[in-house]
Amino acid sequence: MDYGHPIEFGTFITPVNDPPQAAVARAQLSEQLGFDLVTFQDHPYQPGFLDTWTLLTWVAAQTSTIQISGNVLNVPMRPAPVLARAAASLDLLSEGRLALGLGAGAFWDAMVAMGFPRRTPAESVEQLAEAMEVIREVWRADSRDQLRVDGKYYQLKGAKRGPAPAHDVPIWLGAYKPRMLRLVGAKADGWLPSLGYLKPGDLARGNAIIDEAAAGAGRDPREIRRLLNISGEPGKGAAQWVDELLPLILDDGVGTLILGSDDPLELQRFAEEVIPAVRAELSTRRTNAGPVRSAVALAARREGIDYDALPASLTAVEPGDFGYAKVRSTYMRGGSPGLVIKARDVEQVVTALAFAREQKVPLAVRSAGHGISGRSTNDGGIVIDLSEMRDISVLSEADRLVRVEAGARWKDVAAALAPHGWALSSGDYGGVGVGGLATAGGIGWLAREHGLTIDHLRAADLVLADGSRMHVSETEHPDLFWAVRGAGANFGVVTSFEFQVDEVGDVGFGQFVFDASDTAGLLERWGAAMEAAPRDLTTNLIVGAPRRGQSLAQVYGVVNSSTPDTIIERLTPIAEIAPLLDQQVQLVPYAGVMNVPDAPHEGQGDPVARSGLIDHLTPSFCAAAAALINAGTAYFFQIRSVGGAVADVPEVATAYSHRAANFSVVAFGASKSRLDAAWAELATHFRGLYLSFETDQSPERLAEAWPPATLARLRALKREYDPANVFRDNFNIDPLGD
Ligand SMILES: Cc1cc2nc3c(=O)[nH]c(=O)nc-3n(C[C@H](O)[C@H](O)[C@H](O)COP(=O)(O)OP(=O)(O)OC[C@H]3O[C@@H](n4cnc5c(N)ncnc54)[C@H](O)[C@@H]3O)c2cc1C
């Protein structure tokens, strides 16, 4: 039977220690010759051999594309939890090039001589099966529970998991006897015997046992790759090789042929003469090569998505796929989408959107997944993910015009602009994505001096609901250009933005911690200090509920100046708003302020946040806000300074409203009903809200984000550009609403 795996070729190199570099050189030669895989036997008791694991790491470091594996690793001598971590580490370091060939152990006298317990054949298979479970559990780094295994050979008592490998590392077993073969069928990803140890008919007999065990475990036998170590007498001609190898592939289903040889000339002849000849023969005689999705992965598919209809040009991650844990949730919200399509260019966005429109499931658009409302994931729907579209380029040095793809993050933008002495007013957190923020507003460290991010937008490229591509600017489709700047998520997928950026070099970055016992007074004094401050100062303030009787507030801020005296002058009034407990002021490049470490997106549940835009921090607002904070209703309460240049832009110029507000307020709560009730008390103080800091999707929130005339204009445009309401999952402007 042909199991349909694309044919691959590998080498089987002796890990000799004479000289130590010889095996590495043969691995490098294997790569140069175009072999797919290089493997090494593992006999950790053999005096003339290098340790195989150490050799694998060295080979990985000295090669760049070839897959590497033990052939096969001695499991009884390599503690499974440590082997799991070592394998994941090597897979990460080699960028996904490891395969894990495992064996139940051999040469027991030598192993016993090194202090390992002798096992019967049955025990060694049992141990291998347990080891595989342990290894796979350790790799499940996304699982939050501690790892407990009460096995016969492994006892883990609350072990930590991870790291997860870079890719779905296949586990291949070196197996000959029925018990091992059944384990291959039930649990492994590949069968790896040596032809030299097999009698005629053993491959067919082995396959039959594996296939039956696979079916018994609910698996498709095609999930299991059949590999085979082969060797030939020196000088065997290409034609003879082809004659011998073709039946192994076509009749016995072998998908990977691994040549055992340390002779560079033989490796070269095989690569140059045999492999092309085999491939040529197969191209006419084999039609069913293609990846096989496992039964487990198929069972994890969600209703309403025609997975088989996904265009071949698209790369997507399904619930049963290895990479799913990394893409299912966002920074703020836990999700379980049915399909995450990773678009790499505009054409793929068009294709993905056309496919998504055909499916009867929710659609989310994701740039970097930092949306506070968390709508860039969903349950059972499709996500179009632009995170691989993150190019940043300069269009005009003279005009400081840059083009940024939607999937870039603001720290990438800051780092790319820094060498030019430029920066773009964006958010305060470098991990946030360009796509979500630049379609909504963009309140950041330079806001009071340089305005919102959207105020720097000169043009944008969109894919509209009907799949058409549109370039919008003040002169091309100006109505849509207006809508994109504040309500972009409702009108299409923005694939790239053209921004005019500012000259910004080093800045003063201040961090202060205050005693916030007088919470209301502190808020009032900070508000007054900010309203009086020159525009080159933008700060934000975070206050939490009292803990262990102590109430603390933090203020972070940027002074857009590299002159120490100016920085001190601007920050001094801030430092005086309350008893100061700690302070730090640094002169740093703007890109340094934005440079945050990458954090995995592990949001859980639904976030709860409420937003308000307010003109002044009046005594009555501050008293009400202090009551909310001190009651513990919000676990995070933040006020950002806006105003300044934000208010210079006419209210009608963009679809971002309430520009006169000097402050943007946001509160995160653990309980939606509690926070909503408290927010209703504050509502009279607000003139509107900023949707990027809001999670409540009710229509009333739209009326707070936009005054009636603006909302009516947006609705009319929605009817024109997205009449079927395709983009509706995040603060939907219903085209049929009034
Ligand atoms: C830690 C943190 C700090 C923040 N700080 C600030 C700040 O200082 N200032 C500020 O203004 N905001 C800030 N925000 C809010 C942030 O601006 C928004 O959440 C923004 O939407 C995130 O963009 P994203 O691309 O990462 O989000 P995603 O989660 O990828 O997308 C959020 C939403 O935006 C829409 N969207 C995303 N990409 C596109 C696209 N290419 N075309 C059309 N629509 C799209 C979708 O509706 C999507 O649901 C912060 C958020 C977090 C989590």
Side-chain angles (χ1 to χ4, degrees):
M1 169 166 175
D2 184 345
Y3 295 94
H5 292 269
I7 190 78
E8 292 187 348
F9 294 90
T11 58
F12 185 52
I13 307 291
T14 318
V16 284
N17 176 20
D18 184 20
Q21 289 294 341
V24 182
R26 283 168 197 142
Q28 290 172 313
L29 178 66
S30 304
E31 180 171 272
Q32 284 158 19
L33 291 171
F35 282 95
D36 303 290
L37 167 73
V38 59
T39 68
F40 305 93
Q41 55 186 294
D42 182 31
H43 296 289
Y45 31 73
Q46 189 79 306
F49 279 11
L50 294 166
D51 168 65
T52 297
W53 191 265
T54 311
L55 175 62
L56 284 172
T57 64
W58 202 266
V59 164
Q62 303 280 325
T63 55
S64 52
T65 54
I66 197 162
Q67 194 180 21
I68 46 182
S69 177
N71 188 347
V72 286
L73 296 174
N74 185 322
V75 164
M77 296 183 74
R78 300 192 178 274
V82 180
L83 179 59
R85 294 182 67 98
S89 305
L90 185 51
D91 194 53
L92 289 163
L93 291 167
S94 67
E95 297 178 336
R97 289 194 283 133
L98 183 73
L100 206 52
L102 301 181
F107 303 99
W108 285 96
D109 290 346
M111 291 162 64
V112 170
M114 286 181 76
F116 289 88
R118 189 182 296 277
R119 307 257 186 246
T120 64
E123 286 171 341
S124 62
V125 178
E126 228 174 32
Q127 179 172 5
L128 179 57
E130 251 184 48
M132 286 168 68
E133 296 289 330
V134 168
I135 289 168
R136 286 181 170 142
E137 283 297 323
V138 170
W139 286 346
R140 284 184 51 221
D142 58 309
S143 169
R144 293 186 176 218
D145 57 330
Q146 293 183 327
L147 179 49
R148 296 184 186 279
V149 174
D150 189 17
K152 185 166 164 192
Y153 304 91
Y154 302 96
Q155 295 84 39
L156 280 74
K157 303 173 174 22
K160 293 199 169 32
R161 297 169 192 268
H167 86 301
D168 195 0
V169 175
I171 295 185
W172 304 329
L173 301 188
Y176 297 95
K177 300 276 172 53
R179 215 181 332 239
M180 276 287 275
L181 294 168
R182 284 196 292 274
L183 181 60
V184 173
K187 302 248 167 80
D189 305 301
W191 177 31
L192 174 48
S194 294
L195 188 60
Y197 294 150
L198 299 174
K199 297 190 297 295
D202 276 357
L203 277 176
R205 279 188 288 275
N207 278 333
I209 296 173
I210 290 171
D211 295 355
E212 191 185 332
R219 306 178 75 198
D220 182 334
R222 293 175 302 164
E223 291 173 32
I224 301 154
R225 181 176 273 274
R226 322 291 155 133
L227 307 96
L228 189 63
N229 293 320
I230 53 169
S231 56
E233 312 80 56
K236 190 193 284 189
Q240 192 186 342
W241 265 121
V242 174
D243 285 347
E244 288 174 16
L245 296 184
L246 283 180
L248 294 173
I249 299 167
L250 296 172
D251 303 336
D252 293 314
V254 175
T256 305
L257 290 155
I258 304 173
L259 177 67
S261 172
D262 294 321
D263 176 0
L265 273 180
E266 189 182 359
L267 295 179
Q268 186 176 354
R269 241 191 343 259
F270 192 87
E272 291 176 355
E273 296 170 18
V274 181
I275 294 177
V278 172
R279 288 196 189 282
E281 280 291 332
L282 289 180
S283 67
T284 56
R285 297 167 63 171
R286 199 167 178 243
T287 51
N288 61 344
V292 178
R293 193 165 283 279
S294 74
V296 173
L298 290 175
R301 286 181 163 180
R302 302 293 298 265
E303 287 289 311
I305 300 176
D306 184 358
Y307 290 89
D308 295 332
L310 184 77
S313 62
L314 298 179
T315 307
V317 186
E318 297 184 18
D321 286 344
F322 168 80
Y324 184 68
K326 284 196 184 132
V327 299
R328 63 183 297 173
S329 299
T330 65
Y331 189 79
M332 298 295 299
R333 184 171 180 232
S336 45
L339 195 66
V340 178
I341 303 175
K342 306 276 264 180
R344 295 213 170 82
D345 55 33
V346 181
E347 206 46 62
Q348 292 197 353
V349 174
V350 173
T351 312
L353 186 58
F355 172 78
R357 285 200 64 169
E358 291 295 311
Q359 318 304 312
K360 304 286 171 266
V361 294
L363 168 66
V365 177
R366 180 187 300 169
S367 286
H370 271 69
I372 294 210
S373 66
R375 301 291 136 176
S376 59
T377 190
N378 54 35
D379 181 14
I382 291 174
V383 175
I384 299 180
D385 181 318
L386 308 181
S387 59
E388 290 181 17
M389 293 176 63
R390 50 167 72 181
D391 189 58
I392 302 165
S393 55
V394 175
L395 297 177
S396 162
E397 191 84 32
D399 295 332
R400 297 191 304 275
L401 209 58
V402 297
R403 182 177 170 279
V404 183
E405 286 190 328
R409 294 156 309 168
W410 289 109
K411 67 173 177 178
D412 308 326
V413 177
L417 300 185
H420 302 270
W422 300 340
L424 170 57
S425 182
S426 58
D428 63 7
Y429 186 74
V432 167
V434 169
L437 182 136
T439 47
I443 298 174
W445 291 127
L446 304 171
R448 293 183 73 244
E449 186 168 9
H450 290 300
L452 301 172
T453 307
I454 55 170
D455 300 338
H456 295 259
L457 193 61
R458 300 293 171 259
D461 287 290
L462 282 89
V463 175
L464 299 184
D466 64 4
S468 58
R469 295 162 62 160
M470 204 162 265
H471 184 77
V472 299
S473 67
E474 286 293 3
T475 52
E476 299 142 288
H477 310 285
D479 52 353
L480 197 50
F481 182 53
W482 171 83
V484 162
R485 290 172 294 165
N490 263 281
F491 290 91
V493 183
V494 182
T495 52
S496 65
F497 303 82
E498 289 174 26
F499 296 108
Q500 189 160 35
V501 303
D502 292 299
E503 280 174 350
V504 176
D506 288 354
V507 296
F509 183 54
Q511 302 170 71
F512 303 89
V513 180
F514 298 100
D515 175 345
S517 308
D518 173 14
T519 312
L522 177 144
L523 294 177
E524 248 185 85
R525 286 186 290 277
W526 175 76
M530 283 313 305
E531 286 201 46
R535 289 181 169 196
D536 55 11
L537 175 69
T538 300
T539 70
N540 69 52
L541 174 148
I542 300 165
V543 207
R547 280 202 188 167
R548 289 188 288 275
Q550 195 176 25
S551 192
L552 296 176
Q554 296 157 56
V555 171
Y556 298 90
V558 162
V559 182
N560 185 15
S561 168
S562 55
T563 309
D565 286 349
T566 308
I567 295 169
I568 299 300
E569 195 184 316
R570 299 290 187 269
L571 291 174
T572 299
I574 299 297
E576 291 169 350
I577 60 169
L580 189 59
L581 303 179
D582 196 9
Q583 62 169 316
Q584 198 180 24
V585 179
Q586 296 162 289
L587 186 62
V588 283
Y590 176 79
V593 180
M594 296 300 282
N595 189 17
V596 293
D598 286 332
H601 287 183
E602 295 174 338
Q604 306 251 310
D606 268 317
V608 177
R610 300 302 310 269
S611 158
L613 290 167
I614 184 169
D615 290 355
H616 308 289
L617 301 190
T618 59
S620 61
F621 168 77
C622 293
L628 182 152
I629 293 162
N630 292 325
T633 310
Y635 63 81
F636 182 88
F637 187 95
Q638 184 181 43
I639 312 182
R640 287 154 200 261
S641 48
V642 209
V646 175
D648 290 348
V649 175
E651 186 80 8
V652 292
T654 68
Y656 176 94
S657 298
H658 308 295
R659 285 176 173 272
N662 281 308
F663 301 96
S664 160
V665 187
V666 62
F668 287 79
S671 154
K672 176 164 165 43
S673 55
R674 235 179 117 202
L675 186 62
D676 282 351
W679 212 247
E681 301 280 311
L682 289 188
T684 51
H685 299 280
F686 296 130
R687 59 152 48 233
L689 61 77
Y690 176 36
L691 286 175
S692 272
F693 292 150
E694 179 64 55
T695 56
D696 181 12
Q697 298 280 326
S698 5
E700 294 90 306
R701 302 291 86 83
L702 300 190
E704 289 164 13
W706 294 294
T710 311
L711 187 51
R713 185 176 172 194
L714 285 169
R715 225 185 274 291
L717 289 170
K718 181 82 173 171
R719 276 194 287 274
E720 185 179 344
Y721 289 107
D722 184 15
N725 206 10
V726 171
F727 300 108
R728 60 173 175 271
D729 265 32
N730 200 18
F731 300 111
N732 183 216
I733 302 167
D734 185 346
L736 303 176
D738 42 43

